Amino acid sequence: MPLEALIAEDEELLRHSLVEQLGRLWPELKLVAECEDGASALEQLAEKQPDIAFLDIRMPGISGIEVARSLAELSPRTQVVFVTAYDQYAIDAFEQGAMDYLLKPVSDERLLATRDRILSRLPSTRQDDAVLERLLQRLGAGPVANDRPPLAWITASNGRDTQLIMLDDVIYFRADNKYTTVVTAAGESLLRTPLRELLEVLDAQHFRQVHRSTIVNMKAVAAVSRDDTGRGVLRLRQRAETLVVSQPFMSLFRGM
């Protein structure tokens, strides 16, 4: 059976370039999923269970490191190759942790070396969580930071009115066709920004994607439970409805 791989890279040109390089340099490798963000990567990893995951570290919402942390539950046999544009200091951290990585722009020589290292280890399991945690600490001890400061407020439409809504008042965002519904304790408004673009500017410490169509303010969550199918259910502090957490995203709630 050929090895199978997933690619998660939010920059379309870089994603297509890596697909092309893998096709030339590793034709036996079967690509089973191409993802443009961490959320879709979690879902595809749970479904496809690939041998290898090429993960961009900086992606909207859920970073490549967070995706890698979830592999113990979602796809234990998957080996990780981080794709990074970090500087030399961070590259040293990857090398000291013995993690596979590709530096953007990815060279043929580097990709071939990574291929050979992976093949030499197989069959084997992925790096353990302790290695990932040490890497995260060396990179700065915390989630990968966005270069832009998070939003403090947004404007949204409610009928003919345009409302200014503070982010602290938002309970959750829900995808609504090409738009996004903003839900607060007071009601709902419509935002002309797709969910994926919101992920790039929201504070990842507080706003977490829990479903392909839902981002929740963790300050508004009263409790998290899991049903028999592995899906999660969020109870909210100021709203009567509950929110579904799809099974791949439950790994982000470990420790709660």
Side-chain angles (χ1 to χ4, degrees):
M1 294 289 291
L3 295 178
E4 296 182 342
L6 169 147
I7 294 175
E9 165 63 68
D10 67 312
E11 296 182 53
E12 185 176 4
L13 290 177
L14 290 175
R15 187 170 66 250
H16 290 170
S17 176
L18 184 54
V19 169
E20 184 274 330
Q21 285 178 288
L22 286 169
R24 282 191 294 105
L25 304 175
W26 200 345
E28 309 84 24
L29 186 68
K30 180 181 178 182
L31 287 179
V32 294
E34 298 176 36
C35 308
E36 62 181 9
D37 55 42
S40 58
L42 285 175
E43 293 178 340
Q44 290 298 310
L45 282 163
E47 178 183 347
K48 306 292 188 183
Q49 303 280 305
D51 301 285
I52 307 161
F54 295 90
L55 302 177
D56 182 17
I57 288 188
R58 294 190 181 222
M59 291 187 288
I62 300 172
S63 72
I65 289 178
E66 289 176 293
V67 172
R69 278 172 155 171
S70 302
L71 286 174
E73 294 181 30
L74 297 180
S75 185
R77 68 186 179 90
T78 300
Q79 297 197 48
V80 175
V81 178
F82 286 116
V83 184
T84 178
Y86 277 123
D87 59 19
Q88 187 56 51
Y89 171 80
I91 295 303
D92 291 342
F94 283 108
E95 292 178 341
Q96 290 187 29
M99 300 295 294
D100 284 313
Y101 72 93
L102 297 171
L103 183 63
K104 299 179 185 180
V106 178
S107 69
D108 285 0
E109 180 181 13
R110 181 69 194 183
L111 184 54
L112 285 170
T114 297
R115 179 200 65 181
D116 292 344
R117 280 200 308 275
I118 291 173
L119 291 175
S120 70
R121 287 200 304 264
L122 292 173
S124 68
T125 57
R126 66 181 185 88
Q127 294 281 5
D128 62 27
D129 288 339
V131 174
L132 287 170
E133 288 303 323
R134 287 197 297 271
L135 172 63
L136 190 59
Q137 289 174 9
R138 287 186 59 83
L139 291 176
V144 178
N146 195 303
D147 293 332
R148 292 176 291 182
L151 288 177
W153 53 270
I154 56 174
T155 56
S157 301
N158 192 332
R160 295 184 178 182
D161 295 333
T162 298
Q163 297 181 319
L164 187 150
I165 302 173
M166 302 304 295
L167 264 296
D168 283 345
D169 295 330
V170 173
I171 295 176
Y172 64 93
F173 295 96
R174 183 181 68 244
D176 186 1
N177 295 318
K178 294 182 180 179
Y179 305 108
T180 299
T181 298
V182 185
V183 181
T184 67
E188 301 183 1
S189 303
L190 196 63
L191 185 65
R192 295 179 180 273
T193 303
L195 209 66
R196 186 172 182 274
E197 292 183 18
L198 274 176
L199 285 169
E200 298 180 7
V201 293
L202 291 172
D203 187 347
Q205 294 285 337
H206 303 299
F207 287 90
R208 305 305 302 265
Q209 189 165 14
V210 297
H211 188 278
R212 181 178 289 274
S213 61
T214 313
I215 300 172
V216 67
N217 184 349
M218 295 303 296
K219 296 178 181 178
V221 174
V224 183
S225 59
R226 190 190 293 260
D227 64 20
D228 293 338
T229 68
R231 292 190 319 170
V233 178
L234 300 183
R235 294 206 313 271
L236 304 171
R237 298 184 189 280
Q238 295 178 286
R239 300 279 300 191
E241 70 267 29
T242 58
L243 299 180
V244 171
V245 184
S246 57
Q247 190 274 334
F249 292 88
M250 280 301 292
S251 59
L252 301 176
F253 289 86
R254 280 190 299 176
M256 290 190 62

